[in-house]
Amino acid sequence: MGEITVERFNQIICDELPLADEMGILADTISNGGAIVRLPFRKNMIRPGGTIAGPFMMALADVAMYAVVLGVIGEVQLAVTTSFNINFLHRPLPADLIAQGKLLKAGKRLVVSDVEVHSANNKQIVAHATGTYSIPPQS
C-alpha cells in the first residue's frame, strides 16, 4: 500500500463519488499524513441567514478525511467512515471553503484524522471535525 496522487484522487471523486463531484470538491494537495481539499462557493450552498449550510462543510470535511486516508494507505476502495464528529465554530460567509486534514493515527484497521475547515475569504476556522475510517483487511 502507498500514497495516492492528487490527480488520481480527483479522478476517484469524478468517477466514484458523484455527490462530491456535483458539489465541485477537489483535492489541492495530498501527502502521507495530510491533505488540502477545496469546495468552490456556489449560491445553492447558502441557508437562511446568509451563511453556508452545515451539510456542505460536513461533506468537505469527510472528503478531506478520505484524502488523508488514501494518502496513507493508497487506493483502497472499501475504506469507509466509521465515526465522524464536527463542531461548527464560526459563521462562514459566502466564499470557497478549504479543508486541511491531518493524520492523527494510522493502525492496521483504523485511521483517525483531524480536519479544520477554513473560509477562504478570511482564513478563519469555521468548523473542526474528527473522524475514523475503517480499513478492510488485506486479501
Side-chain angles (χ1 to χ4, degrees), residues 16-47:
E16 300 176 35
L17 299 171
L19 181 59
D21 182 49
E22 188 175 303
M23 292 170 67
I25 296 174
L26 288 173
D28 289 342
T29 64
I30 299 175
S31 63
N32 190 334
I36 298 175
V37 180
R38 175 181 302 272
L39 173 60
F41 174 74
R42 294 182 182 170
K43 289 183 181 180
N44 70 344
M45 295 166 58
I46 298 297
R47 64 172 295 272

PDB file of all heavy atoms in Angstrom, residues 16-47:
ATOM      1  N   GLU A  16     -16.391   8.065  -8.868  1.00  0.00           N
ATOM      2  CA  GLU A  16     -16.994   7.197  -7.859  1.00  0.00           C
ATOM      3  C   GLU A  16     -17.674   7.910  -6.695  1.00  0.00           C
ATOM      4  O   GLU A  16     -18.293   7.256  -5.856  1.00  0.00           O
ATOM      5  CB  GLU A  16     -15.924   6.247  -7.322  1.00  0.00           C
ATOM      6  CG  GLU A  16     -15.325   5.380  -8.423  1.00  0.00           C
ATOM      7  CD  GLU A  16     -14.190   4.504  -7.939  1.00  0.00           C
ATOM      8  OE1 GLU A  16     -14.263   4.049  -6.779  1.00  0.00           O
ATOM      9  OE2 GLU A  16     -13.248   4.267  -8.705  1.00  0.00           O
ATOM     10  N   LEU A  17     -17.543   9.231  -6.626  1.00  0.00           N
ATOM     11  CA  LEU A  17     -18.183   9.993  -5.550  1.00  0.00           C
ATOM     12  C   LEU A  17     -19.044  11.084  -6.181  1.00  0.00           C
ATOM     13  O   LEU A  17     -18.697  12.263  -6.173  1.00  0.00           O
ATOM     14  CB  LEU A  17     -17.130  10.600  -4.615  1.00  0.00           C
ATOM     15  CG  LEU A  17     -16.223   9.617  -3.895  1.00  0.00           C
ATOM     16  CD1 LEU A  17     -15.103  10.340  -3.178  1.00  0.00           C
ATOM     17  CD2 LEU A  17     -17.016   8.758  -2.935  1.00  0.00           C
ATOM     18  N   PRO A  18     -20.198  10.703  -6.754  1.00  0.00           N
ATOM     19  CA  PRO A  18     -20.974  11.660  -7.538  1.00  0.00           C
ATOM     20  C   PRO A  18     -21.431  12.897  -6.767  1.00  0.00           C
ATOM     21  O   PRO A  18     -21.473  13.983  -7.340  1.00  0.00           O
ATOM     22  CB  PRO A  18     -22.160  10.840  -8.047  1.00  0.00           C
ATOM     23  CG  PRO A  18     -22.182   9.598  -7.225  1.00  0.00           C
ATOM     24  CD  PRO A  18     -20.801   9.382  -6.712  1.00  0.00           C
ATOM     25  N   LEU A  19     -21.753  12.769  -5.491  1.00  0.00           N
ATOM     26  CA  LEU A  19     -22.182  13.942  -4.736  1.00  0.00           C
ATOM     27  C   LEU A  19     -21.030  14.928  -4.571  1.00  0.00           C
ATOM     28  O   LEU A  19     -21.187  16.129  -4.781  1.00  0.00           O
ATOM     29  CB  LEU A  19     -22.755  13.557  -3.372  1.00  0.00           C
ATOM     30  CG  LEU A  19     -23.246  14.729  -2.521  1.00  0.00           C
ATOM     31  CD1 LEU A  19     -24.333  15.518  -3.240  1.00  0.00           C
ATOM     32  CD2 LEU A  19     -23.737  14.250  -1.176  1.00  0.00           C
ATOM     33  N   ALA A  20     -19.862  14.427  -4.212  1.00  0.00           N
ATOM     34  CA  ALA A  20     -18.694  15.303  -4.063  1.00  0.00           C
ATOM     35  C   ALA A  20     -18.338  15.943  -5.396  1.00  0.00           C
ATOM     36  O   ALA A  20     -17.998  17.129  -5.460  1.00  0.00           O
ATOM     37  CB  ALA A  20     -17.505  14.510  -3.512  1.00  0.00           C
ATOM     38  N   ASP A  21     -18.448  15.180  -6.476  1.00  0.00           N
ATOM     39  CA  ASP A  21     -18.180  15.719  -7.811  1.00  0.00           C
ATOM     40  C   ASP A  21     -19.189  16.807  -8.166  1.00  0.00           C
ATOM     41  O   ASP A  21     -18.824  17.868  -8.660  1.00  0.00           O
ATOM     42  CB  ASP A  21     -18.221  14.585  -8.839  1.00  0.00           C
ATOM     43  CG  ASP A  21     -17.894  15.063 -10.233  1.00  0.00           C
ATOM     44  OD1 ASP A  21     -16.883  15.761 -10.418  1.00  0.00           O
ATOM     45  OD2 ASP A  21     -18.664  14.723 -11.160  1.00  0.00           O
ATOM     46  N   GLU A  22     -20.462  16.547  -7.890  1.00  0.00           N
ATOM     47  CA  GLU A  22     -21.519  17.530  -8.182  1.00  0.00           C
ATOM     48  C   GLU A  22     -21.315  18.816  -7.385  1.00  0.00           C
ATOM     49  O   GLU A  22     -21.583  19.909  -7.872  1.00  0.00           O
ATOM     50  CB  GLU A  22     -22.879  16.913  -7.853  1.00  0.00           C
ATOM     51  CG  GLU A  22     -24.058  17.729  -8.274  1.00  0.00           C
ATOM     52  CD  GLU A  22     -25.366  16.991  -8.014  1.00  0.00           C
ATOM     53  OE1 GLU A  22     -25.534  15.881  -8.517  1.00  0.00           O
ATOM     54  OE2 GLU A  22     -26.194  17.551  -7.275  1.00  0.00           O
ATOM     55  N   MET A  23     -20.810  18.674  -6.165  1.00  0.00           N
ATOM     56  CA  MET A  23     -20.549  19.844  -5.331  1.00  0.00           C
ATOM     57  C   MET A  23     -19.314  20.610  -5.796  1.00  0.00           C
ATOM     58  O   MET A  23     -19.137  21.771  -5.438  1.00  0.00           O
ATOM     59  CB  MET A  23     -20.364  19.419  -3.867  1.00  0.00           C
ATOM     60  CG  MET A  23     -21.637  18.900  -3.223  1.00  0.00           C
ATOM     61  SD  MET A  23     -21.343  18.148  -1.600  1.00  0.00           S
ATOM     62  CE  MET A  23     -20.836  19.575  -0.656  1.00  0.00           C
ATOM     63  N   GLY A  24     -18.451  19.971  -6.582  1.00  0.00           N
ATOM     64  CA  GLY A  24     -17.244  20.625  -7.075  1.00  0.00           C
ATOM     65  C   GLY A  24     -16.027  20.453  -6.183  1.00  0.00           C
ATOM     66  O   GLY A  24     -15.017  21.141  -6.357  1.00  0.00           O
ATOM     67  N   ILE A  25     -16.083  19.526  -5.225  1.00  0.00           N
ATOM     68  CA  ILE A  25     -14.964  19.309  -4.309  1.00  0.00           C
ATOM     69  C   ILE A  25     -13.776  18.730  -5.072  1.00  0.00           C
ATOM     70  O   ILE A  25     -13.927  17.790  -5.843  1.00  0.00           O
ATOM     71  CB  ILE A  25     -15.363  18.365  -3.161  1.00  0.00           C
ATOM     72  CG1 ILE A  25     -16.464  18.989  -2.297  1.00  0.00           C
ATOM     73  CG2 ILE A  25     -14.149  18.009  -2.304  1.00  0.00           C
ATOM     74  CD1 ILE A  25     -17.026  18.074  -1.233  1.00  0.00           C
ATOM     75  N   LEU A  26     -12.587  19.302  -4.827  1.00  0.00           N
ATOM     76  CA  LEU A  26     -11.347  18.814  -5.432  1.00  0.00           C
ATOM     77  C   LEU A  26     -10.204  18.916  -4.429  1.00  0.00           C
ATOM     78  O   LEU A  26     -10.151  19.854  -3.635  1.00  0.00           O
ATOM     79  CB  LEU A  26     -10.981  19.625  -6.671  1.00  0.00           C
ATOM     80  CG  LEU A  26     -11.841  19.396  -7.908  1.00  0.00           C
ATOM     81  CD1 LEU A  26     -11.468  20.387  -8.990  1.00  0.00           C
ATOM     82  CD2 LEU A  26     -11.694  17.968  -8.415  1.00  0.00           C
ATOM     83  N   ALA A  27      -9.296  17.959  -4.507  1.00  0.00           N
ATOM     84  CA  ALA A  27      -8.096  17.999  -3.677  1.00  0.00           C
ATOM     85  C   ALA A  27      -7.075  18.939  -4.299  1.00  0.00           C
ATOM     86  O   ALA A  27      -6.888  18.938  -5.519  1.00  0.00           O
ATOM     87  CB  ALA A  27      -7.511  16.607  -3.529  1.00  0.00           C
ATOM     88  N   ASP A  28      -6.428  19.747  -3.464  1.00  0.00           N
ATOM     89  CA  ASP A  28      -5.328  20.604  -3.908  1.00  0.00           C
ATOM     90  C   ASP A  28      -3.992  19.915  -3.665  1.00  0.00           C
ATOM     91  O   ASP A  28      -3.107  19.946  -4.511  1.00  0.00           O
ATOM     92  CB  ASP A  28      -5.337  21.944  -3.165  1.00  0.00           C
ATOM     93  CG  ASP A  28      -6.481  22.847  -3.589  1.00  0.00           C
ATOM     94  OD1 ASP A  28      -7.069  22.632  -4.665  1.00  0.00           O
ATOM     95  OD2 ASP A  28      -6.782  23.788  -2.826  1.00  0.00           O
ATOM     96  N   THR A  29      -3.839  19.310  -2.471  1.00  0.00           N
ATOM     97  CA  THR A  29      -2.607  18.595  -2.136  1.00  0.00           C
ATOM     98  C   THR A  29      -2.942  17.364  -1.306  1.00  0.00           C
ATOM     99  O   THR A  29      -3.901  17.374  -0.523  1.00  0.00           O
ATOM    100  CB  THR A  29      -1.607  19.469  -1.343  1.00  0.00           C
ATOM    101  OG1 THR A  29      -2.185  19.799  -0.081  1.00  0.00           O
ATOM    102  CG2 THR A  29      -1.230  20.726  -2.090  1.00  0.00           C
ATOM    103  N   ILE A  30      -2.140  16.328  -1.476  1.00  0.00           N
ATOM    104  CA  ILE A  30      -2.236  15.127  -0.646  1.00  0.00           C
ATOM    105  C   ILE A  30      -0.814  14.665  -0.373  1.00  0.00           C
ATOM    106  O   ILE A  30      -0.007  14.557  -1.290  1.00  0.00           O
ATOM    107  CB  ILE A  30      -3.018  13.991  -1.346  1.00  0.00           C
ATOM    108  CG1 ILE A  30      -4.446  14.419  -1.665  1.00  0.00           C
ATOM    109  CG2 ILE A  30      -3.024  12.730  -0.467  1.00  0.00           C
ATOM    110  CD1 ILE A  30      -5.239  13.400  -2.468  1.00  0.00           C
ATOM    111  N   SER A  31      -0.535  14.419   0.898  1.00  0.00           N
ATOM    112  CA  SER A  31       0.774  13.894   1.283  1.00  0.00           C
ATOM    113  C   SER A  31       0.550  12.733   2.224  1.00  0.00           C
ATOM    114  O   SER A  31      -0.585  12.464   2.628  1.00  0.00           O
ATOM    115  CB  SER A  31       1.601  14.980   1.969  1.00  0.00           C
ATOM    116  OG  SER A  31       0.971  15.382   3.170  1.00  0.00           O
ATOM    117  N   ASN A  32       1.617  12.067   2.590  1.00  0.00           N
ATOM    118  CA  ASN A  32       1.499  10.973   3.543  1.00  0.00           C
ATOM    119  C   ASN A  32       1.247  11.580   4.917  1.00  0.00           C
ATOM    120  O   ASN A  32       2.172  11.950   5.614  1.00  0.00           O
ATOM    121  CB  ASN A  32       2.770  10.121   3.545  1.00  0.00           C
ATOM    122  CG  ASN A  32       2.596   8.856   4.342  1.00  0.00           C
ATOM    123  OD1 ASN A  32       1.774   8.781   5.261  1.00  0.00           O
ATOM    124  ND2 ASN A  32       3.354   7.850   4.012  1.00  0.00           N
ATOM    125  N   GLY A  33      -0.030  11.738   5.259  1.00  0.00           N
ATOM    126  CA  GLY A  33      -0.392  12.305   6.549  1.00  0.00           C
ATOM    127  C   GLY A  33      -1.119  13.627   6.492  1.00  0.00           C
ATOM    128  O   GLY A  33      -1.444  14.199   7.520  1.00  0.00           O
ATOM    129  N   GLY A  34      -1.406  14.119   5.294  1.00  0.00           N
ATOM    130  CA  GLY A  34      -2.112  15.391   5.206  1.00  0.00           C
ATOM    131  C   GLY A  34      -2.791  15.573   3.862  1.00  0.00           C
ATOM    132  O   GLY A  34      -2.460  14.908   2.886  1.00  0.00           O
ATOM    133  N   ALA A  35      -3.757  16.481   3.837  1.00  0.00           N
ATOM    134  CA  ALA A  35      -4.456  16.791   2.592  1.00  0.00           C
ATOM    135  C   ALA A  35      -5.117  18.159   2.709  1.00  0.00           C
ATOM    136  O   ALA A  35      -5.543  18.565   3.796  1.00  0.00           O
ATOM    137  CB  ALA A  35      -5.517  15.740   2.284  1.00  0.00           C
ATOM    138  N   ILE A  36      -5.200  18.848   1.577  1.00  0.00           N
ATOM    139  CA  ILE A  36      -5.957  20.094   1.484  1.00  0.00           C
ATOM    140  C   ILE A  36      -6.969  19.917   0.371  1.00  0.00           C
ATOM    141  O   ILE A  36      -6.609  19.555  -0.758  1.00  0.00           O
ATOM    142  CB  ILE A  36      -5.053  21.306   1.221  1.00  0.00           C
ATOM    143  CG1 ILE A  36      -4.082  21.486   2.392  1.00  0.00           C
ATOM    144  CG2 ILE A  36      -5.888  22.569   0.996  1.00  0.00           C
ATOM    145  CD1 ILE A  36      -3.051  22.577   2.196  1.00  0.00           C
ATOM    146  N   VAL A  37      -8.240  20.135   0.716  1.00  0.00           N
ATOM    147  CA  VAL A  37      -9.344  19.913  -0.201  1.00  0.00           C
ATOM    148  C   VAL A  37     -10.191  21.179  -0.239  1.00  0.00           C
ATOM    149  O   VAL A  37     -10.382  21.831   0.787  1.00  0.00           O
ATOM    150  CB  VAL A  37     -10.186  18.696   0.254  1.00  0.00           C
ATOM    151  CG1 VAL A  37     -11.343  18.431  -0.669  1.00  0.00           C
ATOM    152  CG2 VAL A  37      -9.303  17.452   0.358  1.00  0.00           C
ATOM    153  N   ARG A  38     -10.676  21.523  -1.417  1.00  0.00           N
ATOM    154  CA  ARG A  38     -11.397  22.784  -1.613  1.00  0.00           C
ATOM    155  C   ARG A  38     -12.825  22.534  -2.094  1.00  0.00           C
ATOM    156  O   ARG A  38     -13.080  21.648  -2.906  1.00  0.00           O
ATOM    157  CB  ARG A  38     -10.653  23.616  -2.642  1.00  0.00           C
ATOM    158  CG  ARG A  38     -11.335  24.916  -3.042  1.00  0.00           C
ATOM    159  CD  ARG A  38     -10.521  25.653  -4.092  1.00  0.00           C
ATOM    160  NE  ARG A  38      -9.182  25.944  -3.614  1.00  0.00           N
ATOM    161  CZ  ARG A  38      -8.858  27.046  -2.941  1.00  0.00           C
ATOM    162  NH1 ARG A  38      -9.765  27.959  -2.677  1.00  0.00           N
ATOM    163  NH2 ARG A  38      -7.622  27.256  -2.551  1.00  0.00           N
ATOM    164  N   LEU A  39     -13.749  23.372  -1.600  1.00  0.00           N
ATOM    165  CA  LEU A  39     -15.135  23.401  -2.071  1.00  0.00           C
ATOM    166  C   LEU A  39     -15.404  24.797  -2.613  1.00  0.00           C
ATOM    167  O   LEU A  39     -15.512  25.754  -1.845  1.00  0.00           O
ATOM    168  CB  LEU A  39     -16.109  23.077  -0.937  1.00  0.00           C
ATOM    169  CG  LEU A  39     -17.596  23.225  -1.247  1.00  0.00           C
ATOM    170  CD1 LEU A  39     -18.025  22.308  -2.382  1.00  0.00           C
ATOM    171  CD2 LEU A  39     -18.423  22.959   0.005  1.00  0.00           C
ATOM    172  N   PRO A  40     -15.495  24.935  -3.941  1.00  0.00           N
ATOM    173  CA  PRO A  40     -15.786  26.251  -4.518  1.00  0.00           C
ATOM    174  C   PRO A  40     -17.181  26.731  -4.109  1.00  0.00           C
ATOM    175  O   PRO A  40     -18.126  25.945  -4.066  1.00  0.00           O
ATOM    176  CB  PRO A  40     -15.714  26.020  -6.029  1.00  0.00           C
ATOM    177  CG  PRO A  40     -14.980  24.738  -6.204  1.00  0.00           C
ATOM    178  CD  PRO A  40     -15.272  23.927  -4.974  1.00  0.00           C
ATOM    179  N   PHE A  41     -17.292  28.017  -3.822  1.00  0.00           N
ATOM    180  CA  PHE A  41     -18.573  28.585  -3.409  1.00  0.00           C
ATOM    181  C   PHE A  41     -19.566  28.571  -4.571  1.00  0.00           C
ATOM    182  O   PHE A  41     -19.229  28.875  -5.704  1.00  0.00           O
ATOM    183  CB  PHE A  41     -18.408  30.021  -2.912  1.00  0.00           C
ATOM    184  CG  PHE A  41     -19.726  30.665  -2.619  1.00  0.00           C
ATOM    185  CD1 PHE A  41     -20.439  30.314  -1.495  1.00  0.00           C
ATOM    186  CD2 PHE A  41     -20.278  31.577  -3.499  1.00  0.00           C
ATOM    187  CE1 PHE A  41     -21.678  30.883  -1.234  1.00  0.00           C
ATOM    188  CE2 PHE A  41     -21.508  32.157  -3.251  1.00  0.00           C
ATOM    189  CZ  PHE A  41     -22.212  31.802  -2.115  1.00  0.00           C
ATOM    190  N   ARG A  42     -20.800  28.203  -4.223  1.00  0.00           N
ATOM    191  CA  ARG A  42     -21.933  28.283  -5.149  1.00  0.00           C
ATOM    192  C   ARG A  42     -23.116  28.850  -4.377  1.00  0.00           C
ATOM    193  O   ARG A  42     -23.260  28.621  -3.173  1.00  0.00           O
ATOM    194  CB  ARG A  42     -22.298  26.905  -5.696  1.00  0.00           C
ATOM    195  CG  ARG A  42     -21.215  26.311  -6.566  1.00  0.00           C
ATOM    196  CD  ARG A  42     -21.651  24.974  -7.104  1.00  0.00           C
ATOM    197  NE  ARG A  42     -20.588  24.387  -7.891  1.00  0.00           N
ATOM    198  CZ  ARG A  42     -20.588  23.163  -8.330  1.00  0.00           C
ATOM    199  NH1 ARG A  42     -21.609  22.367  -8.064  1.00  0.00           N
ATOM    200  NH2 ARG A  42     -19.594  22.693  -9.044  1.00  0.00           N
ATOM    201  N   LYS A  43     -23.993  29.556  -5.067  1.00  0.00           N
ATOM    202  CA  LYS A  43     -25.143  30.186  -4.406  1.00  0.00           C
ATOM    203  C   LYS A  43     -26.057  29.176  -3.722  1.00  0.00           C
ATOM    204  O   LYS A  43     -26.689  29.502  -2.720  1.00  0.00           O
ATOM    205  CB  LYS A  43     -25.933  31.017  -5.409  1.00  0.00           C
ATOM    206  CG  LYS A  43     -25.209  32.263  -5.845  1.00  0.00           C
ATOM    207  CD  LYS A  43     -26.050  33.093  -6.792  1.00  0.00           C
ATOM    208  CE  LYS A  43     -25.274  34.322  -7.225  1.00  0.00           C
ATOM    209  NZ  LYS A  43     -26.039  35.157  -8.148  1.00  0.00           N
ATOM    210  N   ASN A  44     -26.128  27.938  -4.205  1.00  0.00           N
ATOM    211  CA  ASN A  44     -27.021  26.951  -3.600  1.00  0.00           C
ATOM    212  C   ASN A  44     -26.514  26.442  -2.247  1.00  0.00           C
ATOM    213  O   ASN A  44     -27.189  25.659  -1.587  1.00  0.00           O
ATOM    214  CB  ASN A  44     -27.277  25.781  -4.545  1.00  0.00           C
ATOM    215  CG  ASN A  44     -26.074  24.878  -4.746  1.00  0.00           C
ATOM    216  OD1 ASN A  44     -24.941  25.228  -4.431  1.00  0.00           O
ATOM    217  ND2 ASN A  44     -26.326  23.704  -5.300  1.00  0.00           N
ATOM    218  N   MET A  45     -25.343  26.895  -1.812  1.00  0.00           N
ATOM    219  CA  MET A  45     -24.801  26.495  -0.515  1.00  0.00           C
ATOM    220  C   MET A  45     -25.347  27.340   0.638  1.00  0.00           C
ATOM    221  O   MET A  45     -25.173  26.985   1.805  1.00  0.00           O
ATOM    222  CB  MET A  45     -23.267  26.626  -0.536  1.00  0.00           C
ATOM    223  CG  MET A  45     -22.592  25.680  -1.518  1.00  0.00           C
ATOM    224  SD  MET A  45     -20.858  26.079  -1.864  1.00  0.00           S
ATOM    225  CE  MET A  45     -20.118  26.024  -0.248  1.00  0.00           C
ATOM    226  N   ILE A  46     -26.016  28.438   0.319  1.00  0.00           N
ATOM    227  CA  ILE A  46     -26.478  29.376   1.344  1.00  0.00           C
ATOM    228  C   ILE A  46     -27.770  28.896   1.988  1.00  0.00           C
ATOM    229  O   ILE A  46     -28.685  28.425   1.330  1.00  0.00           O
ATOM    230  CB  ILE A  46     -26.691  30.772   0.717  1.00  0.00           C
ATOM    231  CG1 ILE A  46     -25.368  31.305   0.170  1.00  0.00           C
ATOM    232  CG2 ILE A  46     -27.293  31.758   1.715  1.00  0.00           C
ATOM    233  CD1 ILE A  46     -24.323  31.526   1.231  1.00  0.00           C
ATOM    234  N   ARG A  47     -27.819  29.037   3.290  1.00  0.00           N
ATOM    235  CA  ARG A  47     -29.024  28.733   4.065  1.00  0.00           C
ATOM    236  C   ARG A  47     -29.587  30.048   4.597  1.00  0.00           C
ATOM    237  O   ARG A  47     -28.931  31.084   4.508  1.00  0.00           O
ATOM    238  CB  ARG A  47     -28.698  27.771   5.208  1.00  0.00           C
ATOM    239  CG  ARG A  47     -27.755  28.357   6.243  1.00  0.00           C
ATOM    240  CD  ARG A  47     -27.576  27.477   7.466  1.00  0.00           C
ATOM    241  NE  ARG A  47     -28.794  27.333   8.220  1.00  0.00           N
ATOM    242  CZ  ARG A  47     -29.196  28.155   9.182  1.00  0.00           C
ATOM    243  NH1 ARG A  47     -28.464  29.193   9.529  1.00  0.00           N
ATOM    244  NH2 ARG A  47     -30.313  27.951   9.812  1.00  0.00           N
TER     245      ARG A  47
END
